[in-house]
Amino acid sequence: MVTDVLVVGSEGAGARAAISVCEADPRARVTLTTKGRFTKSGATLTAGTDIDVDSTSVIELFGLEGDRRDTKDTFLEDIVVEGRYVNNQKLVEVLVENAPRVVKEVADWGMKVMGVARAAGHRYPRGILSTGVEVMKGLRNKVRQFGDRVTVMEDTLVTDLVVDDAGHVSGATALDLRTGEPVVFVSKVVLLATGGGLRVYPWTSGPEELTGDGHGMAYRIGTRFTDMEFVQFLTCTLEAPPSKVRSVNPFQLYGGWLLNREGQRFMARWDPVRMEQSTRDNLAIGIMSEILEGRGWTDDKGGYVLISMKHLPDQIIDDSPAIQAWFKKDFIESVKGKAVKCFPACHFYCGGIVKNERCETNIPGLLAAGEVCGGVHGANRLSGNAVTEILVDGAISGVTAAELVANRDTPRLGKSHYEGLVEKILAPFNRKEGPSPIQLRKRIQKLAGYKVGVVRDADLLRQAIAELQDIKAEAAAVAVYNSQKVYNREWVEALQVENMALTLEMIARSALVRQESRGTHYRRDFPKSDNSNWLKNTFLIKNEEGDMVVTTAPSVITKVRPKEED
Amino acid sequence: MATVHIRRCDGPGAEPRWVSYEVPLEDRMTVLGVLDYIYENVDTSLAYYQSCRMGRCAGCFVQVNGKGVLSCETTAFDGMRVGPLENYELVRDLVVDLNKPLKKRASNDRG
């Protein structure tokens, strides 16, 4: 199948990029692929959401109650302070500069705006309130205006990038889940918008399909990554059926006790004054430390502690608007007088593929947009910047893609360029014996939660890296045990496990190199931040011998430096 | 243990069949949780769609005892009958093509 721009991932960043390509070049054709369904998959929909723009633009573009003291520079400063000074400030400049325009556009295309909020870490109200569903409504409306110039291909799992003899990305291979047949795409540009690899972890606020596919396929062809150690976790989430994960746990806010297996309120060890009302990072570290030190419970997902409501009179629970608003009645009734499981859940990847200000990667023909990229957020993402980033990146990468399309003929690919990759798709399906992809996925997730999670140290990370070598060997031999060709979930998982293992290995190796704690990255063997040695970023790549190697380089600082006391 | 019935069908035109499964129904387990259990422990060939698991993506619609519901938002119960949405073209088992609504009601019973 021939197209000009192949976009992998159909939601926020991908859909916005498709629009941008069509606007920039009236002849360019885009194929927008997703292994799920358009506007029914991906992380964008799960966003809450506040979408950040500087507060002056809140007034001028949206007519909402902002604060004119805010400027793009103040906004940048807050992003960098929250990112603990290791953001690439050139990329942050691009973000704050373009944010107002792209957020306004999606509102004009149909996204409902419900107000403005000031979230934690912001000096001024910058969060345009809407929902991920509304963001996609706006983007879908606009995509449809371009008619058949944008081909949306659902149920299409892109597996690998195809590189021509000159080392130029020239297409991709995929499995069409509807037919069970492989597909070869030939394109002038491939744009990755596959999001973070949240499902590498056992618990996440993200959807089912975020298995690091973009990370895996980019890594295999030599793409550079940065800051993979910085993974955001939600503090003490709980399993409020149906597997709901909450960014705030109202039981923790309204007096629930966090208990370990010895029945102790263990937060006394971490913050004896504030206890369960402590900061998010303290809570996450406290909970995970109890699990790691054997005072929590272990299970096939990597462990948990309890949050108890037994001491809370029913009236407290019934009269809490937050609890009532966030949970269904039957769930609330079921927890009264009880304790439930509580654990950290993966929320966001701050790191990812290295992009420049035009969303280009180090590989010609390969662009990347959104959460699959790194650099903007530094060591910790400021609340409300996730959707801002996907919209800005989508808009910019589409313009870059259109320029590349105009300057390149349709690549000529021979069978030799892709037949091995097609064989790789079919191999697990044809194999009669081998490791189960379902069991392998569970093993990766448990390892991730336990040894590459909220609390890290050199021993845990080395153990994880060693175990991942076994897992990668098993992933290469994985077998699909059922023989259905159409919509075969087990086959999909078989094609995902290598990506999951590679993504987790990137996190573990980067985390091992960063011998300090900063933002979302906590090393219990190096619990302090070290600004004299670590105002740096990690960079990761597959070297010529095929080894995963991590190096470091000073952070790009254009405007904001840490003050003495930081 | 509870018994649930799932409508299995290899695709449009193929013969549908109701298959019964024994599943351990945990407290407030969802229909999606039951489908996951069957896929992971009993029959990996079961086809169904899921994404966000929190009622936002609206991709996991199925019919439970004849009524269209989101499988991630619906509590499972002993004896339930789970089938695909009947007004869209079937892909396989519980997966339908939401871009292809059927003009008239499908003649066979999808639960």
Side-chain angles (χ1 to χ4, degrees), chain A residues 61-189:
Chain A
L61 289 182
F62 295 89
L64 294 166
E65 210 168 315
D67 189 324
R68 284 190 195 277
R69 285 173 298 175
D70 195 20
T71 63
K72 294 192 169 76
D73 275 348
T74 341
F75 182 20
L76 175 141
E77 205 173 294
D78 285 356
I79 294 171
V80 174
V81 169
E82 188 77 5
R84 309 308 300 150
Y85 305 98
V86 292
N87 318 58
N88 178 328
Q89 293 185 22
K90 276 191 192 162
L91 295 177
V92 184
E93 286 175 34
V94 172
L95 183 89
V96 299
E97 194 53 47
N98 287 281
R101 167 180 70 92
V102 298
V103 178
K104 181 66 167 65
E105 277 169 351
V106 75
D108 291 344
W109 299 334
M111 175 188 82
K112 192 159 65 174
V113 172
M114 295 142 189
V116 63
R118 188 176 75 83
H122 290 273
R123 274 176 285 175
Y124 302 104
R126 300 188 183 114
I128 301 295
L129 289 175
S130 188
T131 67
V133 175
E134 287 292 322
V135 172
M136 285 317 301
K137 198 171 87 186
L139 293 178
R140 186 189 54 203
N141 290 343
K142 189 68 184 174
V143 166
R144 287 194 173 151
Q145 284 181 13
F146 295 104
D148 57 10
R149 291 181 59 205
V150 180
T151 306
V152 179
M153 289 185 66
E154 301 181 326
D155 297 327
T156 302
L157 170 67
V158 174
T159 56
D160 269 293
L161 299 164
V162 178
V163 180
D164 71 6
D165 294 333
H168 204 125
V169 168
S170 302
T173 50
L175 173 65
D176 179 350
L177 306 190
R178 297 282 183 93
T179 60
E181 298 295 335
V183 181
V184 178
F185 289 101
V186 179
S187 68
K188 296 181 184 179
V189 181

Side-chain angles (χ1 to χ4, degrees), chain A residues 477-497:
Chain A
V478 81
V480 178
Y481 284 86
N482 82 82
S483 55
Q484 289 285 350
K485 285 194 87 175
V486 175
Y487 212 88
N488 186 329
R489 295 180 65 83
E490 193 184 18
W491 193 0
V492 171
E493 290 217 59
L495 297 171
Q496 288 172 167
V497 283

Side-chain angles (χ1 to χ4, degrees), chain B residues 1-4 21-42 76-78 80:
Chain B
M1 295 296 265
T3 307
V4 301
Y21 299 91
E22 298 290 306
V23 293
L25 269 195
E26 291 166 40
D27 187 27
R28 300 180 321 280
M29 191 168 177
T30 61
V31 174
L32 181 55
V34 168
L35 301 178
D36 281 341
Y37 177 86
I38 295 169
Y39 162 67
E40 290 187 354
N41 301 286
V42 186
F77 53 93
D78 195 5
M80 68 177 181

Side-chain angles (χ1 to χ4, degrees), chain A residues 46 209 242 442 486 490 493, chain B residues 39-40 44 51 56 72 92:
Chain A
T46 66
E209 59 274 15
K442 290 185 172 180
V486 175
E490 193 184 18
E493 290 217 59
Chain B
Y39 162 67
E40 290 187 354
T44 62
S51 175
R56 296 229 175 101
C72 75
R92 191 167 71 78

Side-chain angles (χ1 to χ4, degrees), chain A residues 87 112 243 259 346 430:
Chain A
N87 318 58
K112 192 159 65 174
S243 308
L259 300 177
C346 179
N430 293 331

